[in-house]
Amino acid sequence: MHELSIAQNLVELAVESAQAQGLRRLTALHVRIGALSGVVKEALLFAFDVVTEGTPAQGAALIIEDVPVTIFCPSCQAERTLDAPVPMRCPECGTRSGDVRAGRELELVALEGVEEA
Amino acid sequence: MTITPRIVEVRQNVLKKNDVLARELRERFQRSGVYVVNLVSSPGAGKTTALTELLRRLGRSYRVAAVVGDLATDNDAERLKESGASVRQITTGTVCHLEAEMISRALEGWNLAELDYLFIENVGNLVCPASYDLGENERAVLFSVTEGEDKPEKYPTLINSSDLAVITKIDLAEAVGFDRARFIEAVERVRPGIPVLEVSARTGSGMDAWVARLKAARQALVK
């Protein structure tokens, strides 16, 4: 359960970015979480509520976009998106590939906030 | 008066701080010519025993050291010291993984230029260490034959971020009915192409191959 630590990093980054942009209170955080990021969404949502307390992000919505795994298939010479991280196999031709092109994201994409506290 | 929220783009990795520190560490390691391995596994997979044996074998011709993370005790560090290598302990308290900052602090006062290999024994956990880059050259994930053949598929994230898979306690394979082919198939489903080693620290089986691999990897690095 490292989501608490992830949530702390997320809120720190969000508050720093907000301050740099003149936002005093956050209303929403948009994040992207890859299927291979190792982060459990439910655990992160729970941890987020805990760690935002007393910060400018208190009460903000955490909006999560799930990013599926995309691999590069050497046979098709194309990127293919997988329904699940396992098996790492091209859904079109069945070739195995460990060349992961997306799905490891753990990214703060954007913030919504107001200038008044 | 209504207040309209403003949207600001950030587009940054949530673990940016760790990534920045890990990058600094990696540069330091590279400059010092030290090859760094991050060992990850579930608790009880045999990291400490395997590492003691690696340190002992590599220590004959190289300068080796280890940093070991543990939740509460320094038992692992004490065991590793039996190999004769320099060992430092990181007690993480309740934290289930090592972070770059902990490594940075643990290395204070060590002259990395006097080392050839540095091993980082992560906290026993197959989930949390995956997200934290420690600046290592190589991440090796260990599974013991007692853990069941489908373990890799249950923890795809960590295997997927690893460069080497090591099956430990191979001397027990027969006794526990370990299905080698099934295990390797499971690893392949999660991380196609990852090299797999089979070792027993107790009998020494496979350890030469691991040591040879580490020697070649360092040679390629410092060349």
Side-chain angles (χ1 to χ4, degrees):
Chain A
M1 168 67 187
H2 62 316
E3 279 78 2
L4 198 58
S5 150
I6 305 258
Q8 267 157 355
N9 278 281
L10 171 64
V11 172
E12 268 172 41
L13 178 62
V15 170
E16 273 170 28
S17 311
Q19 277 162 355
Q21 300 281 342
L23 298 177
R24 300 202 37 205
R25 190 167 58 82
L26 288 168
T27 54
L29 281 72
H30 296 261
V31 300
R32 300 177 81 223
I33 296 183
L36 279 176
S37 68
V39 173
V40 178
K41 201 156 101 175
E42 291 70 26
L44 184 64
L45 284 165
F46 175 77
F48 181 75
D49 284 343
V50 176
V51 302
T52 47
E53 221 180 283
T55 74
Q58 184 169 344
L62 180 59
I63 299 157
I64 298 174
E65 180 197 340
D66 296 302
V67 184
V69 176
T70 298
I71 56 169
F72 182 80
C73 173
S75 303
C76 303
Q77 285 291 304
E79 287 188 357
R80 303 287 189 205
T81 299
L82 309 184
D83 291 336
V86 181
M88 289 263 171
R89 187 179 279 162
C90 173
E92 303 295 325
C93 72
T95 303
R96 280 182 172 164
S97 168
D99 187 353
V100 176
R101 297 292 171 93
R104 293 198 169 117
E105 294 79 355
L106 181 53
E107 186 190 31
L108 175 60
V109 182
L111 300 170
E112 289 178 48
V114 292
E115 284 165 29
E116 292 78 6
Chain B
M1 194 185 88
T2 55
I3 305 163
T4 321
R6 194 148 59 84
I7 299 179
V8 179
E9 191 172 87
V10 182
R11 293 216 172 272
Q12 280 183 354
N13 191 328
V14 170
L15 297 178
K16 189 179 85 172
K17 276 191 183 147
N18 186 77
D19 290 349
V20 168
L21 264 174
R23 206 176 309 136
E24 286 172 15
L25 279 173
R26 187 165 283 117
E27 283 163 12
R28 257 179 82 193
F29 295 151
Q30 175 88 36
R31 271 200 311 274
S32 314
V34 56
Y35 189 80
V36 183
V37 181
N38 178 7
L39 294 172
V40 294
S41 81
S42 58
K47 283 187 301 300
T48 308
T49 309
L51 180 51
T52 305
E53 193 56 25
L54 277 183
L55 291 172
R56 208 174 57 77
R57 287 170 184 247
L58 276 172
R60 290 178 197 144
S61 16
Y62 295 92
R63 300 165 298 177
V64 293
V67 171
V68 52
D70 198 56
L71 293 174
T73 73
D74 64 354
N75 298 351
D76 288 357
E78 291 308 314
R79 281 171 61 199
L80 290 171
K81 279 179 190 162
E82 289 167 16
S83 67
S86 311
V87 179
R88 283 191 179 167
Q89 169 79 39
I90 301 174
T91 306
T92 61
T94 56
V95 181
C96 51
H97 57 268
L98 291 177
E99 299 185 10
E101 197 255 330
M102 301 175 188
I103 302 300
S104 207
R105 243 185 304 141
L107 294 178
E108 271 169 28
W110 259 355
N111 183 359
L112 292 178
E114 289 171 3
L115 289 180
D116 299 316
Y117 288 94
L118 173 68
F119 291 88
I120 301 168
E121 182 182 331
N122 219 310
V123 180
N125 186 313
L126 275 178
V127 181
C128 309
S131 309
Y132 297 87
D133 184 2
L134 305 180
E136 72 265 28
N137 295 95
E138 174 184 314
R139 190 177 288 186
V141 59
L142 277 59
F143 293 96
S144 68
V145 294
T146 57
E147 289 177 67
E149 294 84 358
D150 60 345
K151 199 81 172 265
E153 289 186 86
K154 290 182 180 168
Y155 299 92
T157 301
L158 192 60
I159 292 92
N160 208 274
S161 70
S162 297
D163 308 292
L164 170 72
V166 181
I167 309 175
T168 61
K169 309 184 191 179
I170 201 75
D171 53 311
L172 299 178
E174 207 176 320
V176 299
F178 179 70
D179 187 337
R180 184 181 169 280
R182 227 185 108 205
F183 178 87
I184 289 179
E185 168 64 15
V187 170
E188 274 289 309
R189 280 165 60 85
V190 179
R191 177 100 159 131
I194 188 173
V196 181
L197 293 179
E198 299 169 35
V199 307
S200 163
R202 200 166 62 173
T203 66
S205 155
M207 293 301 297
D208 283 343
W210 197 354
V211 166
R213 195 179 185 277
L214 286 164
K215 285 182 181 174
R218 182 172 180 275
Q219 235 153 34
L221 182 85
V222 296
K223 198 160 51 183

